């Protein structure tokens, strides 16, 4: 079996982790503001035939909800909130949500095994992720799909910082997965790099969808085929200095997009799949709230992104412990999506048993 890292976290490492999150957030922030203003594990063996197209949606076809996570407190408290809202909306009308699995890639069980349905897999061999922990995501899916019994025909790939704001139907259509288009995933603008992993004979660069792996609803058999390629491409991209430098913290997202294209899989792009406060001011008809960005406002309700606000909610403020119960609501004038986020976090923390006492397992 693959060896496991010693995941003990010292104060020094927590500082480094916090700095890493800061720079990752800063890079994404830069892209957001610009947009708003205008060791090989397997051989690459891509499937080249396009899956058969089928019309219509898949309403009534259940999908398994799967998220990858670690045993760090930062990941645990987000997973607990995510699972709370999954349970709340799962059986509501228009829901196609099936069973739930937290794919725990820390290599051993933690103290949430009895609270959240979980499946333990191994992390990558020590040093292979080079500090980029999300490289464990494709490897986790490879192991889970190989070893677990999954009843549903479809799978939703989700993340701990996702909150279901309403019941989620199956947005896929036949063999065509549904994915969320990220404005900062731009394969055509990086054709030189993309061609290192998606050769010209495979087709135009526009075959590479502007997505990451999450959120995506996809047929299980397609994900079984794509996942080893996704892992392989992720590692190759990380090994390539130019690619690593250019893609940074979204490298693994590009790797999934490229791997899907190598298998001839095109995604239905659903902007209503997800919202991301503070940039999306209204919840509207969206299904998932993704709180990856910090929300900073002054007391007038004005966004102060890039500067710590007089009022703020940022998940990175809680690296070594869960957020307290009953967080203060934003000041008047703050967008509805941010208010909704805080209210949903507060509801979850008020109702999850032992919220204040959880420690790393």
């Amino acid at each position: 079996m693959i060896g496991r890292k010693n995941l003990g976290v010292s104060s020094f490492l927590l500082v480094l982790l916090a700095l890493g999150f800061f720079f990752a957030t800063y890079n994404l922030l830069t892209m957001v503001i610009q947009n708003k203003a205008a060791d090989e594990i397997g051989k690459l063996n891509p499937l080249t035939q396009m899956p058969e197209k089928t019309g219509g949606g898949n309403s009534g076809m259940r999908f398994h909800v799967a998220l990858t996570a670690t045993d760090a407190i930062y990941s645990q408290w987000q997973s607990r909130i995510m699972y709370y809202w999954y349970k709340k909306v799962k059986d509501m009308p228009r829901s196609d949500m099936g069973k739930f699995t937290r794919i725990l890639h820390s290599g051993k069980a933690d103290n949430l095994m009895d609270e959240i349905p979980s499946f333990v897999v191994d992390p990558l061999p020590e040093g292979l992720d080079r500090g980029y922990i999300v490289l464990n995501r494709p490897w986790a899916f490879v192991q889970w799909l190989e070893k677990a019994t999954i009843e549903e025909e479809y799978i939703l790939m989700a993340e701990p910082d996702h909150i279901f704001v309403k019941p989620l139907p199956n947005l896929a259509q036949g063999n065509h997965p549904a994915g969320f288009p990220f404005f900062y995933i731009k394969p055509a603008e990086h054709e030189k790099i993309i061609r290192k992993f998606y050769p010209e004979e495979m087709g135009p660069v526009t075959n590479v969808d502007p997505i990451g792996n999450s959120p995506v609803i996809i047929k299980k058999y397609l994900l079984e085929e794509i996942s080893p390629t996704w892992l392989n491409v992720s590692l190759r991209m990380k090994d390539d200095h130019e690619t690593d430098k250019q893609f940074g913290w979204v490298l693994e997202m590009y790797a999934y997009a490229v791997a899907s294209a190598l298998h001839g899989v095109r995604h239905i792009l659903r902007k209503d799949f997800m919202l991301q406060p503070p940039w999306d001011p209204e919840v509207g008809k969206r299904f998932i709230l993704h709180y990856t960005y910090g929300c900073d406002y002054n007391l007038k309700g004005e966004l102060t992104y890039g500067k710590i606000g007089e009022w703020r909610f940022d998940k990175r403020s809680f690296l070594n412990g869960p957020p307290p119960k009953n967080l203060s609501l934003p000041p008047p004038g703050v967008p509805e999506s941010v208010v909704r986020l805080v209210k949903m976090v507060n509801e979850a923390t008020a109702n999850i048993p032992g919220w204040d006492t959880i420690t790393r397992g």
Side-chain angles (χ1 to χ4, degrees), residues 13-250:
L13 288 178
L14 280 175
V15 172
L16 289 180
L17 182 61
L19 287 172
F21 280 126
F22 171 79
F23 287 115
T25 305
Y26 177 80
N27 290 336
L28 285 174
L29 164 63
T30 301
M31 291 187 289
V32 169
I33 292 175
Q34 289 174 344
N35 182 69
K36 296 295 178 181
D39 353 26
E40 179 178 77
I41 288 184
K43 296 294 182 182
L44 200 62
N45 184 23
L47 176 71
T48 58
Q49 184 177 0
M50 185 70 175
E52 179 183 356
K53 292 185 179 180
T54 58
N58 290 318
S59 180
M61 297 290 293
R62 294 279 178 176
F63 56 83
H64 195 105
V65 179
L67 72 150
T68 52
T70 73
D71 63 356
I73 290 178
Y74 179 70
S75 180
Q76 287 184 329
W77 68 255
Q78 294 175 55
S79 298
R80 298 181 87 193
I81 292 174
M82 197 266 200
Y83 185 57
Y84 171 86
W85 284 103
Y86 156 82
K87 290 190 295 181
K88 182 145 187 178
V89 306
K90 173 184 178 293
D91 295 323
M92 289 183 177
R94 302 187 189 88
S95 169
D96 291 324
M97 304 166 76
K99 293 183 178 180
F100 185 103
T101 300
R102 179 184 62 137
I103 308 172
L104 183 63
H105 56 77
S106 299
K108 68 176 183 180
D110 68 359
N111 56 341
L112 293 182
M113 304 299 289
D114 293 333
E115 178 179 335
I116 304 176
S118 302
F119 191 94
V120 179
V121 297
D122 291 314
L124 287 168
E126 186 171 358
L128 195 59
D129 65 11
R130 298 176 187 82
Y132 180 53
I133 196 169
V134 291
L135 281 184
N136 285 285
R137 185 173 293 152
W139 177 223
F141 272 108
V142 168
Q143 296 173 83
W144 177 63
L145 290 164
E146 180 181 289
K147 299 174 182 178
T149 300
I150 306 161
E151 298 176 0
E152 297 87 349
E153 185 178 355
Y154 289 84
I155 291 170
L156 165 67
M157 291 186 283
E159 297 179 17
D161 60 355
H162 287 178
I163 293 176
F164 294 105
V165 294
K166 62 181 64 175
L168 180 61
N170 191 337
L171 303 177
Q173 293 186 13
N175 285 347
H176 293 282
F180 177 77
F182 291 91
F183 75 85
Y184 50 81
I185 302 297
K186 300 179 179 180
E189 292 188 8
H190 301 289
E191 181 166 4
K192 178 184 175 183
I193 292 176
I194 294 295
R195 286 303 186 192
K196 294 182 179 183
F197 312 96
Y198 186 73
E200 291 187 11
E201 57 267 26
M202 296 299 299
V205 171
T206 52
N207 285 348
V208 180
D209 293 325
I211 59 170
N213 83 289
S214 176
V216 163
I217 299 176
I218 185 171
K219 272 196 171 179
K220 179 173 63 177
Y221 90 89
L222 286 175
L223 188 56
E224 288 172 341
E225 294 178 354
I226 292 171
S227 290
T229 308
W230 173 24
L231 171 61
N232 182 282
V233 173
S234 296
L235 294 173
R236 288 176 55 202
M237 283 185 171
K238 191 64 180 175
D239 279 337
D240 184 87
H241 178 73
E242 180 186 19
T243 305
D244 187 28
K245 181 179 179 181
Q246 182 64 52
F247 289 166
W249 280 81
V250 297

Side-chain angles (χ1 to χ4, degrees), residues 322-333:
K325 296 181 179 181
N326 197 28
L327 294 168
S328 65
L329 293 178

